[in-house]
């Protein structure tokens, strides 16, 4: 479940893990290259800095939070009842043969806060 779905803050996740990892490679590559190439290209190398920042959506920590959101999207559910909140693995459909109704796996873990 993403941050926007829960209404608890920004969503930095990507639509897929490979897309997020490519964004990270471009972002971190741009940041590192902008600093590493200053001796050979001079201040022109700093033009790579905005590319890196845009690819990371602001900062390396924003990208890291997005990675965690991308990995956990749809896998975790938080529910609060009577002042106690629980984090559990979401119920997901189990693959069945065509024509059979979808069955659901039971949550395998719950964490009390």
């Amino acid at each position: 479940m993403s941050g926007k779905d829960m209404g608890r803050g920004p969503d930095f996740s990507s639509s897929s893990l490979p897309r997020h990892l490519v964004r990270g490679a471009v972002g971190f590559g741009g940041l590192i290259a902008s600093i590493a190439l200053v001796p050979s290209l001079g201040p022109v190398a700093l033009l790579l800095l905005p590319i890196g920042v845009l690819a990371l959506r602001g900062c390396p920590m924003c990208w890291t939070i997005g990675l965690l959101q991308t990995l956990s999207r749809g896998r975790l559910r938080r529910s609060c009842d009577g002042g106690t909140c629980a984090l559990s693995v979401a119920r997901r459909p189990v693959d069945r043969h065509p024509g059979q109704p979808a069955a659901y796996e039971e949550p395998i873990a719950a964490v009390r806060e």
Side-chain angles (χ1 to χ4, degrees), residues 69-90:
Q69 288 177 341
T70 301
L71 290 173
S72 70
R73 178 185 291 133
R75 294 182 184 162
L76 301 176
R77 296 268 190 260
R78 181 179 179 160
S79 60
C80 296
D81 185 30
T84 303
C85 294
L87 183 65
S88 61
V89 176

Side-chain angles (χ1 to χ4, degrees), residues 9-99:
D11 183 11
F12 296 105
S13 63
S14 295
S15 59
S16 69
L17 183 60
R19 181 175 290 175
H20 197 82
L21 294 175
V22 167
R23 273 192 34 241
V26 170
F28 286 112
L31 292 178
I32 293 168
S34 69
I35 302 301
L37 295 176
V38 167
S40 61
L41 297 177
V44 175
L46 295 177
L47 294 175
L48 293 172
L49 191 62
I51 294 170
V53 171
L54 286 173
L56 295 176
R57 292 186 185 166
C59 64
M61 184 56 77
C62 298
W63 181 85
T64 305
I65 291 169
L67 177 63
L68 296 175
Q69 288 177 341
T70 301
L71 290 173
S72 70
R73 178 185 291 133
R75 294 182 184 162
L76 301 176
R77 296 268 190 260
R78 181 179 179 160
S79 60
C80 296
D81 185 30
T84 303
C85 294
L87 183 65
S88 61
V89 176
R91 294 176 56 173
R92 293 187 288 167
V94 177
D95 292 335
R96 297 287 181 208
H97 296 288

